[in-house]
Amino acid sequence: MDDYPKHQKSAILLMKLGGLLSVTACAFIMRNVIIRYHRGERIRLTHKLVFELSLSLFWASFFSPFMSTWMVPRDSGAYQAAGNTASCTLQGFVDSFMYGLSVLLNAILALTYCIIAKTGTKDEARSKRSRWMILGLPPILCFLLACKPLFDKAYNYTDFHVCGIAEHPLGCLSDNYDSECERGESARELKIARFTCICLANLVIVVSVFVLVWHVMKSEKRMADTNILSEPSNDLTMKVVWQGIWYIAAFFFCWGPWYVWQWRRIMHGMETMSSVESPALAYFISVTYPLQGVANACVYFRPSYRKFRERDRAEWRIASVFRTLDLNVPGWLSVDYWRSLTVRLRDDDSTGQSVPTLS
């Protein structure tokens, strides 16, 4: 029962915790958008994209990092493995579909912020056709792409505590394996095709980053040369630009280590994670890759949090977090409560009376 490597147990528990946090964070983002919709507020195009992105990350985080080895076949040898081939296939399909959709939506989100910053257009889709192209086409495309490995029986245990596109037995496509694969003979080609699509999406994101940063530098230089205060419209545009940059930074922070590992596996004869002597990469991926939902929530709620902080800086930060998340602030976190309590204690001290306490 205790013959599992310590770093494997730690990595799996970290993934499950990160997945749970990501599920919770995505739920708060979707809840906030739904509350705004029922209040009659205008839902921006970027908020619609973030809502769809959060929906995909919600299910991806639940089925992949949170469930992780609970859906992996028992004979895989993974810690807490409790699934079978069917559950592994389901996990791999949802992982490929939802995480693929999240990468594509991140690229569309970055491109949208880039267009808003460059053209100064409003943060909205101008027609139903454009709205369908932006919000409806990506899920259909990712679903179709996720079906190909399903028919090729390429969803198997990946040796990274979850099921995904891989060969079975694990390592049968490597140069040091003698036997033939039972499932997933085309896993290498599918991984290369998937990684190529992901790289194209990341290319769009990288180009958008450079455009946004260049726009920031150009705007700051123009304001410095003219030596005038920035107009409200320019301030709003700059806020949109920085919001886009923060979303992109959150994406690369969470997915960067995973890209390094996928590149290494493809370029080194489909080596497995167990063949890597240092567990540092496994730890790093276990911490970062499940947390994009949390990172997106920090970026999404950041403007609202700053607004509440500027409104009342005397308020406790935790109370501002409650207001940002549209939660009722407990009375004992209210500034008025502590002010009234201070006045009450001062009055009792001046009269020589003690504050009654519960026995």
Side-chain angles (χ1 to χ4, degrees), residues 106 205 209 242-256 295-296 299:
N106 272 287
I205 296 174
V209 168
W242 278 111
Q243 191 75 351
I245 292 176
W246 280 116
Y247 274 121
I248 295 170
F251 172 78
F252 278 118
F253 170 78
C254 295
W255 283 100
N296 284 349
V299 177

Side-chain angles (χ1 to χ4, degrees), residues 165-184:
I165 298 177
E167 68 280 11
H168 180 76
L170 193 65
C172 64
L173 292 178
S174 65
D175 301 332
N176 301 324
Y177 203 91
D178 298 330
S179 303
E180 294 183 357
C181 296
E182 298 176 9
R183 292 167 53 93

Side-chain angles (χ1 to χ4, degrees), residues 28 31-32 301 305 308 315-330 332-333:
F28 271 110
R31 174 179 175 271
N32 183 266
F301 289 111
Y305 174 77
F308 285 117
E315 186 177 57
W316 286 19
R317 292 183 182 273
I318 186 64
S320 299
V321 171
F322 270 82
R323 298 186 193 279
T324 302
L325 299 177
D326 280 304
L327 299 175
N328 293 326
V329 181
W332 56 273
L333 288 178

Side-chain angles (χ1 to χ4, degrees), residues 49-68:
L49 283 169
V50 173
F51 179 88
E52 189 172 1
L53 174 60
S54 300
L55 182 61
S56 64
L57 287 174
F58 178 91
W59 291 113
S61 300
F62 176 78
F63 277 97
S64 189
F66 177 66
M67 296 297 291
S68 59

Side-chain angles (χ1 to χ4, degrees), residues 99-344:
Y99 273 132
L101 178 59
S102 70
V103 173
L104 183 56
L105 288 174
N106 272 287
I108 296 174
L109 184 64
L111 189 60
T112 302
Y113 274 111
C114 185
I115 294 173
I116 292 173
K118 286 295 295 177
T119 63
T121 56
K122 292 184 178 180
D123 187 359
E124 59 185 10
R126 297 185 177 181
S127 65
K128 291 184 178 180
R129 181 180 178 182
S130 61
R131 188 161 53 245
W132 184 88
M133 290 288 292
I134 295 173
L135 300 175
L137 189 59
I140 297 175
L141 179 62
C142 292
F143 177 81
L144 295 176
L145 291 175
C147 287
K148 173 60 177 172
L150 187 65
F151 292 109
D152 289 348
K153 298 181 179 180
Y155 288 128
N156 302 291
Y157 181 54
T158 63
D159 195 31
F160 194 62
H161 321 313
V162 293
C163 294
I165 298 177
E167 68 280 11
H168 180 76
L170 193 65
C172 64
L173 292 178
S174 65
D175 301 332
N176 301 324
Y177 203 91
D178 298 330
S179 303
E180 294 183 357
C181 296
E182 298 176 9
R183 292 167 53 93
E185 294 87 351
S186 60
R188 186 198 300 269
E189 292 75 15
L190 290 171
K191 271 188 172 293
I192 293 174
R194 183 191 184 196
F195 195 68
T196 302
C197 295
I198 291 175
C199 287
L200 291 175
N202 277 268
L203 180 61
V204 174
I205 296 174
V206 170
V207 172
S208 300
V209 168
F210 280 110
V211 172
L212 289 173
V213 172
W214 177 78
H215 181 79
V216 170
M217 296 174 62
K218 183 179 178 181
S219 299
E220 291 180 349
K221 185 178 183 299
R222 184 175 65 250
M223 288 187 292
D225 292 341
T226 55
N227 198 24
I228 58 174
L229 296 175
S230 59
E231 298 178 358
S233 59
N234 291 333
D235 289 340
L236 183 60
T237 302
M238 292 303 295
K239 289 180 180 179
V240 171
V241 169
W242 278 111
Q243 191 75 351
I245 292 176
W246 280 116
Y247 274 121
I248 295 170
F251 172 78
F252 278 118
F253 170 78
C254 295
W255 283 100
W258 185 85
Y259 290 148
V260 172
W261 163 243
Q262 290 299 314
W263 176 263
R264 175 172 177 171
R265 184 160 196 249
I266 292 173
M267 298 303 294
H268 289 77
M270 298 296 286
E271 67 175 347
T272 60
M273 181 64 75
S274 58
S275 64
V276 180
E277 296 181 359
S278 175
L281 182 60
Y283 274 122
F284 204 47
I285 297 176
S286 299
V287 172
T288 58
Y289 124 85
L291 289 180
Q292 197 196 348
V294 178
N296 284 349
C298 293
V299 177
Y300 176 82
F301 289 111
R302 176 174 164 269
S304 299
Y305 174 77
R306 295 184 64 183
K307 180 185 70 176
F308 285 117
R309 290 301 301 162
E310 292 173 359
R311 181 182 300 177
D312 189 359
R313 292 191 175 276
E315 186 177 57
W316 286 19
R317 292 183 182 273
I318 186 64
S320 299
V321 171
F322 270 82
R323 298 186 193 279
T324 302
L325 299 177
D326 280 304
L327 299 175
N328 293 326
V329 181
W332 56 273
L333 288 178
S334 172
V335 176
D336 295 334
Y337 171 81
W338 289 102
R339 286 174 179 170
S340 62
L341 182 62
T342 303
V343 172
R344 181 184 173 188

Side-chain angles (χ1 to χ4, degrees), residues 1-10 12 69 73-82 157:
M1 297 294 291
D2 296 328
D3 56 348
Y4 296 99
K6 184 177 180 181
H7 71 269
Q8 185 188 103
K9 292 195 221 179
S10 302
I12 291 174
T69 52
R74 295 176 183 271
D75 58 0
S76 63
Y79 177 62
Q80 291 187 344
Y157 181 54

